[in-house]
Amino acid sequence: MMNAYFMFFSKAVPAMIKGSALTIEIAVVSLMIGLLGGMPLAFLQVYGNRFFRMLCTVFAKLFRGTPLLVQLFLVYFGLPQFGIALSPMYAAFLTLGVNSAAYQMEYIRGAVISVGEGQMMTARAMGMSKVKAIRVIILPQVLRLMLPSWANEAVYMIKNTAIVYLIAVPELMAQTKILISRFYNPIEAYLTVAVFYFVIVGIITLAFTVIENKVRIPGLEMEDVR
């Protein structure tokens, strides 16, 4: 039985490597979209007026409170009804990126609050504008504080990419489905893809652990909001 599995594994490896590369690409791009979207929203939620705080809260509740699969289908199947047709890859980037922005906004907001209002008040008293104070004083600390939560988000993102096979993106899960249809070995195929996900997540976790240990601010920690 083990020999049969290893024979299947050797045949599956090229497809799994191809799927892994695409899974990592989707995860990285989506995380960057989430960071670029979540960062300004978090600062608006902390330092913005009541109107902007309300908009940010609605955005977070909307995308954190609805299933990711529903969001994906709305983007891929719904937007074409309004004349916006996205390729499967771009639909995956947009959906996962915006969903991640809703979570990253909360991570960053928590990090900003952890820095404390006193530093902003001191910077303003020294004549800095609010934007300059954020860029020079607050942001460097926020980026360090949010690393543990961002590491978790990276792990979640790798696993979340599994749903995009439903819109024909040939990532890891899609490659698994192809292997099942070709060799009719579902147990072996799912076991193999689990191994690949485990390895990818393990490497990400190890890398972030090393980075966190180098940049950790003693005494300041954040809790994961997932």
Side-chain angles (χ1 to χ4, degrees), residues 4-204:
Y5 174 71
F6 284 122
M7 288 180 62
F8 171 82
F9 186 86
S10 63
K11 296 176 183 177
V13 164
M16 289 298 183
I17 291 176
K18 179 181 177 182
S20 297
L22 194 55
T23 289
I24 294 170
E25 178 185 349
I26 294 170
V28 169
V29 173
S30 299
L31 281 169
M32 291 299 102
I33 292 173
L35 181 63
L36 293 175
M39 184 74 72
L41 290 174
F43 283 108
L44 281 175
Q45 196 172 31
V46 176
Y47 297 117
N49 58 35
R50 184 177 179 182
F51 173 74
F52 285 118
R53 290 199 301 270
M54 182 184 68
L55 285 182
C56 292
T57 300
V58 170
F59 171 82
K61 289 185 179 297
L62 177 63
F63 285 96
R64 292 174 61 194
T66 56
L68 182 57
L69 182 60
V70 172
Q71 297 170 24
L72 179 65
F73 283 175
L74 284 174
V75 169
Y76 187 65
F77 298 112
L79 289 183
Q81 298 184 29
F82 300 94
I84 306 173
L86 299 176
S87 69
M89 280 291 289
Y90 282 110
F93 290 151
L94 178 61
T95 305
L96 294 174
V98 173
N99 180 269
S100 181
Y103 285 95
Q104 293 197 52
M105 182 184 76
E106 293 300 318
Y107 304 152
I108 299 166
R109 183 184 66 85
V112 173
I113 293 172
S114 296
V115 171
E117 183 63 26
Q119 296 194 38
M120 173 60 77
M121 294 174 63
T122 302
R124 297 285 285 160
M126 294 173 61
M128 288 188 184
S129 67
K130 185 175 289 188
V131 173
K132 185 175 181 180
I134 290 172
R135 179 172 56 85
V136 175
I137 297 175
I138 307 298
L139 184 58
Q141 297 179 70
V142 166
L143 292 175
R144 294 164 70 184
L145 279 169
M146 66 174 285
L147 264 177
S149 295
W150 211 67
N152 288 339
E153 183 65 16
V155 170
Y156 286 124
M157 183 62 73
I158 289 292
K159 293 185 285 188
N160 285 342
T161 59
I163 70 168
V164 303
Y165 89 91
L166 293 170
I167 58 171
V169 177
E171 44 69 69
L172 258 178
M173 188 55 67
Q175 296 295 339
T176 305
K177 295 293 184 180
I178 293 171
L179 289 169
I180 292 172
S181 65
R182 183 182 300 169
F183 297 107
Y184 304 102
N185 290 335
I187 300 300
E188 290 87 344
Y190 286 127
L191 180 60
T192 302
V193 75
V195 170
F196 273 80
Y197 276 119
F198 181 79
V199 170
I200 294 171
V201 168
I203 292 172
I204 291 172

